[in-house]
Amino acid sequence: MSGITDLGALREAMAENAGRPEGPARTARAEELLAAAEQLDEPLAVIEALGHQVKVYNYSSEKGKVFVPFARLLRLWDERPEDFDEFEAHSLHWVFKWVSSGMLDQPDVPLASIEGWLGEMERRYRLAGYSEGAVRSAEHSVAAHVGDVARAERAYAAWLAADRDAMSDCHACELHTRGWWQAELGRDEEALELWRPVLEGRYACAHEPHTVLASSLLPLLRLGRGEEARANHLRGVRLVRAMESMRGAYAEHVEFCALTGNEARGLELLAERPAYFTDDGQPQSRLDFLSVVTLLMDRLTGLGLGDRRVPGPAGREWTARELAAHARAEALALAARFDERNGTAHVGERTRARMARKPPADRLPLGVRSAGPVPAPPPVPAPVAAQPDLPALLAEARRLSDHLRPHAVEAWAAVARAAEGVELDPRDLAEIADHEAMGLGPAGAALFERAAGLYAEAGDPGEALAARTRAAYVRALGGDIASAVAAVQGPYEEVLALYADGGTGLRQTAAVLMGRARVLLRRAHAAEGPADEGPATEGPGAEAVHGAAEAAVREVLALVDGRTGQDVRLAARAAEAQAMLAELAGLRGDLAAAVELFARGAAAFVAAGLPWFAVEYEARLASLAHHLGDMAEAERAVRAALEHGGAQLEAPGRAQLHLQLAELLGGRDEVVEAAQHALEAAHWADEAGESATLGAWARQQLGGFLLRQGRWAEAAEVLESALPDLSAETHGDGAVVQTMWWLGDCLSELGEHRAAAERRLQAAEIARTWPEQQDHATLAHLAGESLGEAGLAAEAERAYTRAGDLWRALGDPQGLVRSLRARAWLALRTQDGTAAARRLMAEALRECETARDAAADEESRQEFVEELGHTHRQFGDLLARSAAEGGADAPPLLEEALARLLRSAEVFASLGDGALHSRTAAELTAGWLEIELGHRTEARARARAVLAAYGSHGGTDAGGTGRAEPAGDTAGEAVRARRAEAEHLLRVAAEDRDSPVAEDRDSPVAEDRD
């Protein structure tokens, strides 16, 4: 093969291929490399290429191919073991474990062959001197697969008792398998305890915590630990997406979605992996996948969505019902093949049980948006015989409306349906029409007038006037305020006269007065200018309009005050009047009075036993308090609104309140609870059909709160799901930029540097058009950091140059200096880059000195002095790095580097104790260079000086802010680290012989990325 002419070239090509994503391209390349190795006439080349092929097959969808190259490797070992070097001999024995598990996954491999292979593995491990731990682990897998619990438990115990050795799986993988077995036996708590070190990041490998995160989902759900399950899903699905070999783990994420009411997200996951339906290289993982596909499709069918189109095997379109039947048949056929091979019914039983699983908990919101939310199942209608008769319906409707209970309008609608074809008296007809009109908003005016006529016909003139007033009010809601004001005057005058003569009651009179007050309040709002209500009305000025509205409201209060008794309708009038006075106070600009009056109104509704009416006023109070800076009162009000609303609170209002509370909590850094409320806001926004508007806001906030907790993977999933819905037109370009910025931060923390750079550059491009360029500069600088980490040096140089120009234009010397330093480190990577790097560092020094000399005050001057110290330090580190390349220039470069480091120490010393850690870091690095230059006496003096410095500073100094002190170190830890390094330096400097100090140095040379 072109380019593969020796073992070194082959190894380089295999290393490159190993770094590729799992998939057909990597597998095909491994096959090509084996063919190339066979042309080299070097046995070790073939052995290494076969080992590479085994590894690639094992981590692919073609796992069944692993047996052929391994059998060939084993034959080569038996024939000429001397051709294997130590590494390949170890690898050969290591792969025994892969092959044994791979045989279990292939139903066509007889069980007797697997047992024979297990015996062969035990024999060869014993000959090689390995512990029996790996063998007992393999035996446990065989026994668990066929359902022999007793043998599996014995093998498990023997595995635990065996010594760990070179054949033991990594800690992360072993803990996964052990926890999986405990979960299989129903010991969920024990499983999660075993997995905890992996979930917490103490153990990891190429495929962990990927599988542990997936395996933990169902146990967590069964234990009611939904928050942890949600987090593990968001973290885990991100890890397995790009890994073709992890179909089984991917299936567990689909299963999680099916069991938590997130069926739409489950469909999205299926759509991302169409090949998983048909890839047959690993039948066991295909069985796992088809089982959960069946579960998901059955869930959809049960929700009445059996005819919905869903992703499935290529070549045709599928409905949920059709795919359920197909996946079930395929899964059961595969399970039957395993059971026939195993001589047990265990695999089939597990498969049927998995397909029949029921959700262990209610719906679990994830915070990420899924296209096309799946509706909840429709309520089961009550049997016809159980429906109450018309008199009972009338009685219930009157009870609800008289006591202002929720669903009164719906109860009257039920009366109307039951009364079809039945002759009713005018009073009944009036109430039906009245309540039907209430559900129509501005379109109900005519129906209110009809109700008024029927009330009059029924002999209730007061209620007739109240209905006419309601008709006037809904006209005002529709924008016809002038006619509404005119229409309400007649009923108002009539009801006062009627009430004075005893012709109507207090309740009816209060209803008319309240209706008039509402209309006049509407006119007061309109008098403020164009708004949702329509244009300002002609007529009296705003002050007179406000005065008339306030007089009308106070007239209501004068009528009912002290006379409400047990009548909740009258109590509601008094409470609403207080809230109306609050609105008028707000219109006058007296926000403090508005807050107090809204609080009175809300409290009055709660006291009357009508807390759901208090929700609107608590929410408005919260907004005013927030505006006034009273965050405690704002938070109290929002929490009260959520509590008062209870089950009556509709989805849009619930979403808004949760989002408002999330923002308040986030403002005082209560990010854990803030994230919970942002999650609820996203869920309820989706329920309200506002995913693209309010839902996007909530997801954006949720992502930010997760980021602030360091939950990078979860935050990235949420922010990525928010971005498609965020737009400059709806949410503002600031929200779009902030989301990309946060996402870039997350991706950077996750090591996805190229993707982080893309997001940061996209955000910088939007910020480029803003009048204020600080964000543009910062984003360009961050993009340079990500591009450099991604190995894109030329692109990083352009980004840092762009940032530097912006920092210069903004008059920000610190940003400019840091961009110059970063460019210097990039330049050093290029061929003959020392000269360019030196020029950039020198420019950074000049900018520091200029800024220091021009500082407006002492605090600013000291900041630039500190930056100068860091720049000298990095200049010295850069020269030392350049000298490490070797050559005749190395000694002079080391001498110059030493001078820069000593100058850095002097600069930091001028800042006093505040920069102690930065100063000693520079001195210790200088000491190591002095040893390299043979200046051992000076190095010893340097070490003693550091020890002396910390002798009088017993760990209480916070130190400087430079990179010499690792982020997150406490002062005490930094002191201990410096002392330990100084003692190490002193020991090395005291030795007579030359020491390989390049290996001893504990002072890393860090590229600047600030």
Side-chain angles (χ1 to χ4, degrees):
M1 179 177 291
S2 176
I4 308 295
T5 57
D6 55 31
L7 183 56
L10 176 68
R11 285 172 171 168
E12 186 176 335
M14 289 190 298
E16 179 186 0
N17 193 44
R20 290 183 176 183
E22 295 175 0
R26 189 169 82 147
T27 304
R29 179 60 173 159
E31 292 167 352
E32 292 174 358
L33 292 173
L34 176 59
E38 290 169 335
Q39 304 301 313
L40 296 180
D41 192 28
E42 186 168 348
L44 187 57
V46 174
I47 290 168
E48 291 189 13
L50 283 167
H52 176 67
Q53 194 176 76
V54 166
K55 181 177 181 179
V56 168
Y57 282 153
N58 190 66
Y59 294 114
S60 77
S61 61
E62 300 177 85
K63 196 169 183 177
K65 292 183 176 181
V66 76
F67 307 117
V68 173
F70 181 73
R72 186 176 170 190
L73 267 174
L74 197 58
R75 187 174 65 253
L76 291 173
W77 170 261
D78 289 339
E79 292 172 354
R80 291 181 57 85
E82 65 272 16
D83 288 342
F84 287 69
D85 62 16
E86 183 179 355
F87 178 82
E88 293 303 326
H90 176 274
S91 296
L92 175 73
H93 288 82
W94 182 269
V95 172
F96 264 92
K97 299 181 298 182
W98 294 356
V99 175
S100 63
S101 65
M103 286 180 174
L104 276 179
D105 294 342
Q106 304 291 329
D108 295 332
V109 178
L111 188 61
S113 298
I114 297 173
E115 294 284 7
W117 184 260
L118 191 60
E120 181 68 9
M121 178 182 177
E122 184 171 10
R123 183 182 70 83
R124 289 179 180 266
Y125 274 36
R126 188 182 300 115
L127 286 173
Y130 293 124
S131 160
E132 70 167 351
V135 177
R136 298 286 78 84
S137 173
E139 181 187 5
H140 170 264
S141 297
V142 173
H145 174 75
V146 302
D148 188 343
V149 175
R151 182 187 179 192
E153 286 281 69
R154 288 195 302 272
Y156 184 86
W159 174 23
L160 293 184
D163 293 333
R164 283 186 58 81
D165 64 2
M167 285 299 108
S168 299
D169 282 341
C170 77
H171 285 290
C173 289
E174 284 202 344
L175 289 173
H176 171 249
T177 304
R178 292 174 182 177
W180 171 85
W181 179 239
Q182 298 304 317
E184 279 289 294
L185 298 176
R187 304 167 186 161
D188 291 336
E189 291 280 8
E190 291 87 340
L192 290 163
E193 185 61 27
L194 282 166
W195 288 330
R196 190 152 59 92
V198 183
L199 294 172
E200 292 177 352
R202 280 182 273 160
Y203 298 124
C205 68
H207 291 79
E208 293 297 353
H210 313 45
T211 57
V212 164
L213 286 165
S215 296
S216 72
L217 298 174
L218 192 55
L220 285 168
L221 290 177
R222 287 194 294 246
L223 292 171
R225 292 158 63 175
E227 173 64 26
E228 294 172 69
R230 176 196 301 114
N232 287 1
H233 168 66
L234 294 178
R235 287 174 59 198
V237 78
R238 189 174 191 86
L239 292 173
V240 300
R241 267 200 180 106
M243 303 187 77
E244 182 192 48
S245 65
M246 303 201 75
R247 178 164 53 183
Y250 199 86
E252 290 178 298
H253 286 283
V254 176
E255 180 180 40
F256 168 81
C257 293
L259 295 174
T260 56
N262 291 286
E263 293 87 356
R265 179 166 171 84
L267 293 177
E268 290 180 357
L269 294 180
L270 295 187
E272 289 179 21
R273 280 295 191 181
Y276 276 174
F277 287 99
T278 53
D279 283 345
D280 57 4
Q282 189 185 20
Q284 178 62 62
S285 71
R286 183 163 183 256
L287 173 58
D288 293 336
F289 185 75
L290 291 171
S291 298
V292 301
V293 169
T294 305
L295 171 66
L296 177 59
M297 296 306 123
D298 283 349
R299 291 281 302 156
L300 290 170
T301 303
L303 292 168
L305 299 170
D307 295 326
R308 176 171 177 165
R309 287 188 177 178
V310 295
R316 57 162 287 186
E317 292 183 344
W318 297 87
T319 66
R321 187 178 291 104
E322 292 167 342
L323 185 57
H326 169 81
R328 177 177 283 102
E330 292 278 310
L332 291 176
L334 256 179
R337 288 173 58 198
F338 278 108
D339 284 342
E340 183 179 4
R341 187 270 304 275
N342 298 338
T344 69
H346 182 65
V347 175
E349 290 169 354
R350 288 186 78 251
T351 300
R352 289 182 179 85
R354 190 171 196 179
M355 292 190 295
R357 273 182 183 149
K358 301 299 181 187
D362 295 332
R363 183 175 183 184
L364 181 67
L366 300 180
V368 292
R369 185 186 181 194
S370 293
V374 174
V380 178
V384 174
Q387 294 289 344
D389 57 15
L390 181 57
L393 288 172
L394 270 168
E396 176 63 9
R398 286 197 174 106
R399 184 188 70 82
L400 293 175
S401 56
D402 283 349
H403 294 86
L404 297 177
R405 297 341 256 176
H407 308 303
V409 171
E410 293 85 346
W412 280 105
V415 169
R417 289 192 297 272
E420 289 180 9
V422 178
E423 186 174 348
L424 297 175
D425 63 39
R427 177 73 192 199
D428 294 338
L429 293 172
E431 289 183 270
I432 290 172
D434 205 359
H435 286 88
E436 182 182 350
M438 292 176 189
L440 297 176
L447 204 52
F448 276 128
E449 294 287 2
R450 181 170 181 270
L454 289 166
Y455 280 126
E457 186 181 344
D460 191 342
E463 202 62 59
L465 294 171
R468 285 173 56 194
T469 306
R470 287 191 280 275
Y473 177 57
V474 296
R475 289 193 185 97
L477 289 177
D480 191 1
I481 294 175
S483 66
V485 171
V488 82
Q489 190 62 27
Y492 164 68
E493 294 171 355
E494 291 178 44
V495 82
L496 288 178
L498 196 62
Y499 179 64
D501 292 340
T504 192
L506 180 61
R507 178 187 283 191
Q508 292 78 7
T509 306
V512 174
L513 267 59
M514 177 57 77
R516 175 172 175 266
R518 287 172 177 165
V519 170
L520 294 179
L521 179 61
R522 198 75 179 170
R523 183 176 67 169
H525 277 290
E528 294 299 304
D532 292 342
E533 298 86 358
T537 57
E538 296 181 3
E543 185 175 348
V545 167
H546 290 178
E550 182 171 348
V553 173
R554 294 195 180 280
E555 190 174 7
V556 174
L557 282 171
L559 178 68
V560 302
D561 191 28
R563 304 173 66 189
T564 59
Q566 299 300 312
D567 191 328
V568 296
R569 283 181 175 268
L570 293 178
R573 302 297 183 207
E576 185 179 355
Q578 294 287 350
M580 294 168 80
L581 290 176
E583 289 188 59
L584 288 165
L587 291 175
R588 291 195 307 270
D590 190 351
L591 302 187
V595 166
E596 181 183 350
L597 288 164
F598 272 133
R600 282 189 203 169
F605 273 121
V606 174
L610 305 169
W612 47 89
F613 285 111
V615 172
E616 175 187 354
Y617 304 119
E618 292 281 18
R620 294 171 74 173
L621 187 161
S623 296
L624 289 173
H626 194 169
H627 181 76
L628 291 170
D630 189 348
M631 300 307 174
E633 175 63 10
E635 181 181 336
R636 183 213 60 78
V638 176
R639 289 189 188 277
L642 282 167
E643 179 184 351
H644 296 330
Q648 314 307 321
L649 193 55
E650 294 185 354
R654 193 179 295 276
Q656 290 168 348
L657 288 170
H658 277 295
L659 184 57
Q660 190 174 2
L661 184 52
E663 291 170 347
L664 287 165
L665 290 165
R668 57 184 177 87
D669 211 30
E670 296 286 343
V671 292
V672 174
E673 188 181 356
Q676 293 170 351
H677 287 286
L679 175 66
E680 289 291 325
H683 167 67
W684 289 109
D686 290 345
E687 290 290 308
E690 297 185 20
S691 291
T693 50
L694 185 59
W697 272 119
R699 273 180 270 280
Q700 194 246 16
Q701 290 294 302
L702 174 59
F705 294 137
L706 291 170
L707 178 147
R708 287 164 66 180
Q709 296 176 61
R711 295 161 67 175
W712 315 113
E714 297 167 65
E717 282 288 303
V718 171
L719 293 168
E720 284 173 345
S721 77
L723 261 181
D725 289 328
L726 290 168
S727 67
E729 295 75 21
T730 302
H731 305 92
D733 55 7
V736 178
V737 167
Q738 182 64 81
T739 305
M740 291 178 174
W741 193 328
W742 282 339
L743 183 53
D745 291 347
C746 292
L747 295 170
S748 178
E749 292 288 343
L750 293 169
E752 300 176 34
H753 298 297
R754 185 183 291 264
E758 290 175 4
R759 292 305 187 186
R760 287 167 166 176
L761 287 171
Q762 289 169 352
E765 188 59 25
I766 298 173
R768 181 179 59 82
T769 63
W770 293 354
E772 169 54 55
Q773 289 289 284
Q774 182 76 25
D775 288 340
H776 182 197
T778 304
L779 285 162
H781 197 112
L782 290 170
E785 175 184 321
S786 294
L787 290 164
E789 291 285 359
L792 303 172
E795 293 86 345
E797 161 67 21
R798 287 196 293 272
Y800 278 128
T801 300
R802 174 182 176 185
D805 291 342
L806 290 165
W807 294 129
R808 193 185 299 275
L810 285 165
D812 188 331
Q814 189 176 59
L816 173 59
V817 165
R818 293 180 178 184
S819 68
L820 288 167
R821 293 196 310 234
R823 289 175 61 198
W825 284 107
L826 284 171
L828 195 63
R829 301 182 191 178
T830 63
Q831 188 174 8
D832 301 324
T834 303
R838 187 194 295 273
R839 285 195 302 273
L840 288 163
M841 278 294 186
E843 185 179 351
L845 283 173
R846 288 194 297 274
E847 294 292 344
C848 278
E849 290 165 346
T850 300
R852 176 200 60 192
D853 296 341
D857 52 52
E858 182 59 23
E859 182 179 353
S860 298
R861 193 191 75 81
Q862 290 213 0
E863 287 179 4
F864 292 124
V865 169
E866 184 177 9
E867 204 65 58
L868 181 62
H870 292 311
T871 306
H872 276 297
R873 163 71 193 275
Q874 289 202 35
F875 203 163
D877 287 342
L878 183 145
L879 293 168
R881 176 79 63 86
S882 181
E885 300 297 324
D889 293 337
L893 284 171
L894 287 175
E895 291 285 2
E896 186 179 355
L898 176 60
R900 292 291 180 190
L901 288 163
L902 294 177
R903 178 61 183 137
S904 171
E906 291 174 6
V907 172
F908 285 130
S910 72
L911 294 172
D913 289 347
L916 176 61
H917 294 337
S918 296
R919 183 194 108 200
T920 56
E923 289 178 328
L924 288 169
T925 304
W928 291 115
L929 287 184
E930 284 169 332
I931 290 180
E932 291 188 47
L933 290 165
H935 305 161
R936 291 178 176 273
T937 301
E938 291 85 345
R940 288 194 295 273
R942 198 82 51 209
R944 292 191 182 101
V946 171
L947 290 170
Y950 286 117
S952 58
H953 294 274
T956 59
D957 194 307
T961 58
R963 290 190 171 272
E965 183 179 348
D969 257 6
T970 64
E973 289 169 344
V975 169
R976 286 190 291 274
R978 293 289 187 273
R979 282 176 172 158
E981 186 180 354
E983 289 167 354
H984 184 199
L985 175 61
L986 191 59
R987 287 194 301 272
V988 173
E991 295 174 358
D992 293 333
R993 59 179 178 82
D994 291 335
S995 176
V997 294
E999 296 178 8
D1000 291 327
R1001 287 180 60 182
D1002 190 29
S1003 185
V1005 177
E1007 297 183 19
D1008 191 284
R1009 288 180 172 79
D1010 291 332

